[in-house]
Every structure is written in C-alpha cells, then in structure tokens.
Amino acid sequence: MNRERGFFLNIDWITVLIYLALCVIGWFNIHAAVYDETHPSIIDPATNYGKQFIFILVSVSVAMVLLLLDYRFFSALAPPFYIITILLLILVLVIGRNVGGNQAWISLGGGFRLQPSEFAKFTTCLLLAKYLSGTNIKITDTESFWISAGIILLPMTLIMLQPDVGSTLVFCSLIFVLYREGLSPYFLIIIGLFITLFVSSLLINQWLLLGILTIVAALLATFNLRNRKFLFTLITGFILCAAFAMAVKPIYNNILQPHHRARIDELLGITTDLRGAGYNVNQSKIAIGSGQLWGKGYLQGTQTKYSFVPEQSTDFIFCTVGEEWGFAGSVVVIGLFLFLLLRVIMIAERQQMTFSRIYGYGVASIIFFHVLINIAMTIGLMPVIGIPLPFISYGGSSLLSFTILLFILIKLDASRTGYA
C-alpha cells in the first residue's frame, strides 16, 4: 500500500494538469471552429467536437493504463513497437486512404481513421533511447551515429513516400536529442548553413550564388594558406555547398508537390496569390488580428463562424484561439506550451536512467517542433506544411499519439526512485 501511495505521489501532476488543460482548450476551440447549430451539444458524436470528446476519453484512459504498466515494459518492447510502426507505414502505402493529396490514413470504419505516421514519433523515440542507452554506445562514434541516423531516417523515408512533408520534417527535430547526447554542435551549424543555402538558391540566381560562395571560400583560404587541413576541409565544404546550391531548383521543381512549392513561394515573396496558395494564411492572419486584445468571445468569431479559414479545426486551430480569445488567450495557450516544454526538459534532466533522459529529450523535441511550426505557419512565418497543434487540433491519431508520447515519460519519471 505504501509503495502504491508513493508511486501515486511521485507522478508529475503539474504536467498532467497542463495536458488536461490543453485537451480541454482544444476541445472547446474545435467546437467553435466547426460549430453546427443543428448539433449544439458539445458531446454530440455526430460532430467533430463530439468525436474529439470521445478521443479525449480514450486518450485519458490509455494514459491511465500507461501509468499502471511496469516502466521496463517500454524499453524492452521498443524494438517490436518500432517494427510494427514500420510495417504500418508500409501498409498505408498499399491500402491507405488518400486525403488532401497524402496517402497517410488507414480506414477503420465508422468514420474513424488511423494515421501511422503519428505513432511513429513515439516508437522512434523509444528505439532511439533504447539504442543510445546501450553499453559502449557513443554518438561520437561513426557506427553509433549512422545507426542512430538510420533509426530516424527509415520512418522519415516511408512517410515522405505518402507524401507527407510535414510529418517527415518533424523527425528532423530529433537532431536535438543527438546533440544532447554529445553530437558536435558543428552538425547544427551545418544544418543551418544548408537551410540558408536552400532559401538563397530560391531567391538568388544560382550562378550569382555560386560566385558569392567562391568569393567567401577564397577570402577564407587567403587567411589560412599554410593550414593544409583547413584548406582541404574548406575545398570539400565548398564543393558540397556548390553542388547543393546547383541542385536545389531541380529538386525543388521535380520532387516537391505543386501545392508545397506554391506555399513556399508565397512565404518567400516569390509569388503573391491571396486567392490561391496564400489564401489560408491570409485568412488566418485576418482572424488572429481581428481578435485584438481580448477576442470576440466564444462562438462569436466571424472568420470562424463563416468558414473563411480552411482546415480551421486541424492545422489552423490556433487562429480560432486568436480570433475568439484574442492576444490574451493566445498568450495563455503559448504559455502553457512553454511551461509544458520546461517541465519535460526538467523531467528529462532528473532521470537516473539514460534511457529515460534520452526519451525525455525526444518528447521535448517533437512537441517543440510541432508547436513552433504550427503557430508560425498560422501567422505567416513558416510555409503551410500541415502538422497539428499538440493536444489542441482535431484528430484521434494525433491526440492519442501525443498522449502516449507524453505519458510514457510521466511513467518513467514516476518510477525513477524505484516505487514501481
């Protein structure tokens, strides 16, 4: 009895309360986003807000089950969980249902669908934590690095084949996990450099960009002529950067979907199409701006009520917050996410097991990426890539997968002192 009481007290209830608050906020905003006067009840299962209520009940039930499991269960079954997810990602390419240009859902009947890419996030985190916490595994070793990279890249590749660019890019956030475990910061610098080159290649003539790279390389070489190792690294880096810069436009024009290119072009100012690619973001910004300080009030948003913003209950749910709750409500929601991220990082750092710490940083990385990109794209700072706002956007697969992702960490944390 004392052991059970100790475990109960050891649960991070602050994190649990933040989770519940975000779920309730999401539920009410979904109700506002797709409100139907013929179905006024917020728990009516014939509506999306009624279904979201069911998803919340299911997710909370799953969370309770996770807290009752032995913490060693997650480490022991990380490989089979990962394999099952990979098989589902392959299966969805064969029998998946195409929605919005992405073959990412498996139909379960009754209007419910399963999105395997959502569950791949926590299974990838589990296997990555399992591998990196192994004996004599160091991310600085070449073999360990490439195995870790392979764990991340395999689901990314399968998801890209759907093609779901948004969900694919989420896995890039796991680079922060590798960095926390000892990966050189130069990798982050290199990633930043290639992102800059990518954007520059779209905005600047490729031959002009190549000329700029040549001048920069020549200037750097002038100050280090006697350092052969530096010169070799510089020449290698110049060749790679030049090749990448020259390849960006062919890849951009032939691999990315037309709607993805249109959204990026709109964001970068290459084109302006407020009735086409830029319509969603423009309407979203109008909705958020019209909320001003305190918002228009619950169920009073005109942009929301008259469906000016497409996908408002999913990808653009934050503009409902902005319009009806105003700047104050938006700050509250963003504040809750920041508080959650700080709690997750704090939980990760106090873990005694390496597995739990690594997994904790995986949770923080994925939630941070989702929140940053989703909110940034609703206010026009990022291209629209179609990823949900955790715990708030409509969707059973999204809510359940984020719940599992978070509550596995809460269970690992509750067990850190040996109560379970």
Side-chain angles (χ1 to χ4, degrees):
M1 179 66 70
N2 290 333
R3 192 169 165 175
E4 292 176 357
R5 183 173 178 271
F7 170 73
F8 181 81
L9 294 174
N10 217 35
I11 292 174
D12 195 295
W13 290 107
I14 294 177
T15 303
V16 174
L17 288 174
I18 297 172
Y19 160 79
L20 292 174
L22 288 171
C23 287
V24 172
I25 288 171
W27 179 32
F28 276 90
N29 276 281
I30 291 166
H31 181 237
V34 294
Y35 179 70
D36 183 353
E37 292 182 355
T38 61
H39 297 276
S41 174
I42 196 171
I43 60 173
D44 188 336
T47 63
N48 280 359
Y49 37 90
K51 290 179 182 178
Q52 188 72 7
F53 176 66
I54 296 173
F55 297 151
I56 291 173
L57 293 180
V58 171
S59 296
V60 170
S61 300
V62 170
M64 293 173 64
V65 171
L66 291 172
L67 294 177
L68 296 174
L69 295 174
D70 191 305
Y71 71 93
R72 290 164 291 199
F73 171 85
F74 304 109
S75 176
L77 294 185
F81 282 160
Y82 181 83
I83 292 171
I84 290 171
T85 305
I86 295 300
L87 292 176
L88 286 174
L89 289 173
I90 295 172
L91 183 64
V92 79
L93 294 174
V94 180
I95 65 168
R97 181 179 175 183
N98 193 303
V99 178
N102 298 331
Q103 190 167 320
W105 286 267
I106 296 175
S107 180
L108 300 178
F112 293 96
R113 303 190 299 256
L114 177 71
Q115 188 176 4
S117 59
E118 290 294 331
F119 297 94
K121 296 167 188 175
F122 75 81
T123 59
T124 301
C125 286
L126 283 173
L127 186 61
L128 188 63
K130 171 80 171 178
Y131 174 71
L132 288 176
S133 61
T135 307
N136 298 323
I137 300 297
K138 294 181 179 180
I139 195 63
T140 52
D141 296 336
T142 303
E143 182 181 353
S144 298
F145 170 77
W146 284 113
I147 291 176
S148 301
I151 291 171
I152 299 170
L153 289 172
L154 179 56
M156 282 183 69
T157 303
L158 292 173
I159 294 169
M160 191 63 195
L161 292 175
Q162 294 177 2
D164 185 349
V165 176
S167 295
T168 301
L169 291 176
V170 170
F171 288 82
C172 295
S173 67
L174 295 178
I175 188 71
F176 294 111
V177 179
L178 304 184
Y179 173 71
R180 172 59 182 83
E181 293 308 305
L183 187 67
S184 172
Y186 287 113
F187 277 90
L188 297 180
I189 296 173
I190 291 170
I191 291 173
L193 173 62
F194 277 97
I195 291 174
T196 304
L197 277 176
F198 175 81
V199 174
S200 300
S201 298
L202 297 178
L203 296 175
I204 303 174
N205 179 277
Q206 59 184 4
W207 295 109
L208 176 59
L209 181 60
L210 187 61
I212 294 172
L213 290 174
T214 303
I215 293 172
V216 172
L219 290 173
L220 290 173
T222 301
F223 295 105
N224 295 274
L225 287 174
R226 297 181 181 180
N227 190 333
R228 292 186 177 181
K229 185 177 180 180
F230 174 81
L231 288 175
F232 176 77
T233 303
L234 180 63
I235 293 171
T236 303
F238 171 76
I239 294 172
L240 290 174
C241 289
F244 179 79
M246 298 296 286
V248 164
K249 283 193 175 178
I251 293 174
Y252 182 75
N253 292 326
N254 296 305
I255 293 182
L256 286 183
Q257 296 291 315
H259 63 280
H260 290 141
R261 295 199 302 271
R263 290 167 181 173
I264 295 173
D265 289 346
E266 181 74 24
L267 176 70
L268 296 178
I270 298 173
T271 60
T272 301
D273 184 9
L274 297 183
R275 294 187 176 183
Y279 177 80
N280 290 16
V281 174
N282 185 55
Q283 293 299 322
S284 176
K285 289 193 289 186
I286 292 172
I288 293 172
S290 66
Q292 299 186 10
L293 181 59
W294 299 110
K296 296 178 179 178
Y298 187 57
L299 297 179
Q300 301 303 311
T302 53
Q303 293 289 110
T304 296
K305 185 181 295 184
Y306 298 111
S307 303
F308 282 104
V309 184
E311 308 297 336
Q312 193 160 348
S313 66
T314 52
D315 300 343
F316 285 88
I317 190 68
F318 187 74
C319 73
T320 305
V321 177
E323 182 177 25
E324 298 199 345
W325 298 19
F327 178 77
S330 300
V331 169
V332 169
V333 171
I334 293 173
L336 283 172
F337 277 119
L338 288 175
F339 193 21
L340 176 63
L341 286 167
L342 290 174
R343 293 296 300 182
V344 169
I345 292 172
M346 184 197 74
I347 289 171
E349 284 296 336
R350 73 187 182 193
Q351 298 308 302
Q352 299 174 5
M353 293 193 304
T354 304
F355 172 83
S356 301
R357 184 187 70 241
I358 296 171
Y359 179 78
Y361 270 92
V363 175
S365 298
I366 288 175
I367 292 177
F368 170 74
F369 186 91
H370 268 270
V371 173
L372 174 66
I373 300 301
N374 181 277
I375 293 178
M377 74 184 190
T378 61
I379 57 178
L381 297 179
M382 291 281 185
V384 179
I385 58 174
I387 61 174
L389 189 60
F391 313 115
I392 291 184
S393 291
Y394 170 77
S397 292
S398 172
L399 179 59
L400 183 57
S401 66
F402 276 113
T403 298
I404 295 172
L405 180 77
L406 181 61
F407 274 83
I408 288 175
L409 178 63
I410 293 174
K411 170 61 182 181
L412 292 172
D413 178 61
S415 304
R416 72 185 185 280
T417 56
Y419 283 113

Short mmCIF file of all heavy atoms in Angstrom, two decimals, residues 10 21 31 37-38 53 62 67-69 78 134 162 198 236 243 274 300 303 327 369 380 402 420:
data_model
loop_
_atom_site.label_atom_id
_atom_site.label_comp_id
_atom_site.label_asym_id
_atom_site.label_seq_id
_atom_site.Cartn_x
_atom_site.Cartn_y
_atom_site.Cartn_z
N ASN A 10 4.44 10.35 -6.63
CA ASN A 10 5.62 10.63 -7.44
C ASN A 10 5.28 11.03 -8.87
O ASN A 10 6.16 11.45 -9.62
CB ASN A 10 6.54 9.41 -7.45
CG ASN A 10 8.00 9.81 -7.43
OD1 ASN A 10 8.37 10.79 -6.81
ND2 ASN A 10 8.83 9.04 -8.11
N ALA A 21 -5.47 20.57 -19.39
CA ALA A 21 -5.88 21.93 -19.75
C ALA A 21 -5.81 22.13 -21.26
O ALA A 21 -6.73 22.70 -21.87
CB ALA A 21 -4.99 22.95 -19.04
N HIS A 31 -14.98 22.94 -31.08
CA HIS A 31 -16.41 23.22 -31.04
C HIS A 31 -16.72 24.55 -31.71
O HIS A 31 -17.67 24.68 -32.50
CB HIS A 31 -16.88 23.23 -29.58
CG HIS A 31 -18.34 23.49 -29.41
ND1 HIS A 31 -18.82 24.54 -28.64
CD2 HIS A 31 -19.44 22.86 -29.91
CE1 HIS A 31 -20.15 24.52 -28.68
NE2 HIS A 31 -20.55 23.51 -29.43
N GLU A 37 -25.28 24.63 -35.67
CA GLU A 37 -26.45 24.97 -34.87
C GLU A 37 -27.45 23.83 -34.78
O GLU A 37 -28.25 23.77 -33.83
CB GLU A 37 -27.13 26.21 -35.45
CG GLU A 37 -26.30 27.48 -35.30
CD GLU A 37 -27.00 28.71 -35.84
OE1 GLU A 37 -28.11 28.54 -36.41
OE2 GLU A 37 -26.47 29.83 -35.69
N THR A 38 -27.43 22.92 -35.75
CA THR A 38 -28.34 21.77 -35.69
C THR A 38 -27.84 20.71 -34.73
O THR A 38 -28.57 19.78 -34.40
CB THR A 38 -28.51 21.16 -37.10
OG1 THR A 38 -27.23 20.69 -37.57
CG2 THR A 38 -29.07 22.18 -38.07
N PHE A 53 -14.36 14.69 -28.12
CA PHE A 53 -14.65 14.34 -26.74
C PHE A 53 -14.39 12.85 -26.51
O PHE A 53 -13.80 12.46 -25.49
CB PHE A 53 -16.11 14.68 -26.40
CG PHE A 53 -16.53 14.26 -25.02
CD1 PHE A 53 -15.97 14.85 -23.89
CD2 PHE A 53 -17.48 13.27 -24.84
CE1 PHE A 53 -16.36 14.46 -22.62
CE2 PHE A 53 -17.87 12.87 -23.57
CZ PHE A 53 -17.32 13.47 -22.46
N VAL A 62 -6.10 5.56 -21.98
CA VAL A 62 -4.81 4.99 -22.37
C VAL A 62 -3.70 5.52 -21.46
O VAL A 62 -2.80 4.78 -21.04
CB VAL A 62 -4.49 5.31 -23.84
CG1 VAL A 62 -3.05 4.93 -24.19
CG2 VAL A 62 -5.46 4.56 -24.76
N LEU A 67 0.31 4.45 -17.02
CA LEU A 67 0.83 4.69 -15.68
C LEU A 67 0.83 3.43 -14.83
O LEU A 67 1.57 3.34 -13.84
CB LEU A 67 0.02 5.78 -14.99
CG LEU A 67 0.12 7.19 -15.59
CD1 LEU A 67 -0.80 8.15 -14.85
CD2 LEU A 67 1.55 7.69 -15.56
N LEU A 68 0.01 2.44 -15.21
CA LEU A 68 -0.06 1.19 -14.45
C LEU A 68 0.96 0.15 -14.92
O LEU A 68 1.22 -0.83 -14.22
CB LEU A 68 -1.47 0.60 -14.54
CG LEU A 68 -2.60 1.45 -13.90
CD1 LEU A 68 -3.95 0.82 -14.19
CD2 LEU A 68 -2.37 1.58 -12.40
N LEU A 69 1.53 0.35 -16.10
CA LEU A 69 2.48 -0.62 -16.64
C LEU A 69 3.83 -0.51 -15.95
O LEU A 69 4.20 0.54 -15.41
CB LEU A 69 2.66 -0.39 -18.15
CG LEU A 69 1.44 -0.65 -19.04
CD1 LEU A 69 1.75 -0.24 -20.47
CD2 LEU A 69 1.03 -2.12 -18.99
N ALA A 78 10.59 -1.67 -27.08
CA ALA A 78 10.86 -0.61 -28.05
C ALA A 78 11.12 -1.15 -29.46
O ALA A 78 10.55 -0.63 -30.43
CB ALA A 78 12.05 0.24 -27.57
N GLY A 134 22.47 1.98 -24.66
CA GLY A 134 23.18 0.70 -24.59
C GLY A 134 24.62 0.86 -24.13
O GLY A 134 25.20 1.95 -24.17
N GLN A 162 4.46 9.10 -48.85
CA GLN A 162 2.99 9.18 -48.82
C GLN A 162 2.39 10.22 -49.77
O GLN A 162 1.29 9.96 -50.28
CB GLN A 162 2.53 9.43 -47.37
CG GLN A 162 2.83 8.25 -46.47
CD GLN A 162 2.46 8.51 -45.01
OE1 GLN A 162 1.95 9.56 -44.65
NE2 GLN A 162 2.72 7.54 -44.15
N PHE A 198 19.50 26.72 -49.13
CA PHE A 198 18.25 26.32 -49.78
C PHE A 198 17.41 27.55 -50.10
O PHE A 198 16.94 27.73 -51.24
CB PHE A 198 17.48 25.35 -48.89
CG PHE A 198 16.12 24.98 -49.43
CD1 PHE A 198 15.99 24.00 -50.41
CD2 PHE A 198 14.98 25.61 -48.97
CE1 PHE A 198 14.74 23.67 -50.92
CE2 PHE A 198 13.73 25.28 -49.46
CZ PHE A 198 13.61 24.31 -50.44
N THR A 236 36.53 20.90 -49.64
CA THR A 236 35.47 19.89 -49.59
C THR A 236 34.11 20.54 -49.30
O THR A 236 33.11 20.23 -49.96
CB THR A 236 35.77 18.84 -48.50
OG1 THR A 236 37.05 18.24 -48.74
CG2 THR A 236 34.70 17.76 -48.47
N ALA A 243 27.54 22.18 -55.02
CA ALA A 243 26.71 21.12 -55.61
C ALA A 243 25.28 21.21 -55.09
O ALA A 243 24.31 21.06 -55.86
CB ALA A 243 27.31 19.76 -55.29
N LEU A 274 -3.20 35.67 -53.04
CA LEU A 274 -4.06 35.66 -51.86
C LEU A 274 -5.35 34.86 -52.07
O LEU A 274 -6.06 34.58 -51.11
CB LEU A 274 -4.41 37.10 -51.46
CG LEU A 274 -3.21 37.97 -51.05
CD1 LEU A 274 -3.68 39.34 -50.62
CD2 LEU A 274 -2.40 37.31 -49.94
N GLN A 300 -18.19 33.53 -31.25
CA GLN A 300 -18.52 34.82 -31.85
C GLN A 300 -17.57 35.21 -32.99
O GLN A 300 -17.72 36.30 -33.56
CB GLN A 300 -18.50 35.92 -30.78
CG GLN A 300 -19.48 35.71 -29.64
CD GLN A 300 -20.92 35.56 -30.13
OE1 GLN A 300 -21.40 36.37 -30.93
NE2 GLN A 300 -21.60 34.52 -29.65
N GLN A 303 -14.71 35.08 -38.77
CA GLN A 303 -13.87 34.27 -39.67
C GLN A 303 -14.11 32.79 -39.41
O GLN A 303 -14.16 31.98 -40.33
CB GLN A 303 -12.39 34.60 -39.46
CG GLN A 303 -11.96 35.99 -39.88
CD GLN A 303 -11.97 36.14 -41.38
OE1 GLN A 303 -12.81 36.85 -41.95
NE2 GLN A 303 -11.06 35.48 -42.04
N PHE A 327 -5.41 38.28 -28.10
CA PHE A 327 -3.99 38.21 -27.75
C PHE A 327 -3.79 37.57 -26.38
O PHE A 327 -2.88 36.76 -26.18
CB PHE A 327 -3.38 39.62 -27.77
CG PHE A 327 -1.94 39.67 -27.38
CD1 PHE A 327 -0.95 39.28 -28.27
CD2 PHE A 327 -1.57 40.10 -26.11
CE1 PHE A 327 0.40 39.31 -27.89
CE2 PHE A 327 -0.23 40.15 -25.73
CZ PHE A 327 0.75 39.74 -26.62
N PHE A 369 8.85 21.19 -31.92
CA PHE A 369 8.79 21.37 -33.37
C PHE A 369 7.35 21.58 -33.81
O PHE A 369 7.06 22.48 -34.61
CB PHE A 369 9.39 20.15 -34.07
CG PHE A 369 9.50 20.30 -35.55
CD1 PHE A 369 10.66 20.82 -36.12
CD2 PHE A 369 8.47 19.93 -36.40
CE1 PHE A 369 10.76 20.97 -37.50
CE2 PHE A 369 8.57 20.07 -37.77
CZ PHE A 369 9.73 20.59 -38.32
N GLY A 380 1.99 33.25 -40.73
CA GLY A 380 2.72 33.56 -41.95
C GLY A 380 4.22 33.60 -41.83
O GLY A 380 4.90 34.14 -42.70
N PHE A 402 0.21 11.80 -29.15
CA PHE A 402 0.86 12.75 -28.26
C PHE A 402 0.65 12.37 -26.79
O PHE A 402 1.52 12.59 -25.95
CB PHE A 402 0.35 14.17 -28.51
CG PHE A 402 1.06 14.86 -29.64
CD1 PHE A 402 0.40 15.17 -30.82
CD2 PHE A 402 2.40 15.19 -29.54
CE1 PHE A 402 1.05 15.80 -31.86
CE2 PHE A 402 3.07 15.82 -30.58
CZ PHE A 402 2.40 16.13 -31.75
N ALA A 420 8.05 1.65 -8.58
CA ALA A 420 7.34 0.67 -9.41
C ALA A 420 8.32 -0.06 -10.28
O ALA A 420 9.44 0.39 -10.48
CB ALA A 420 6.30 1.36 -10.27
#
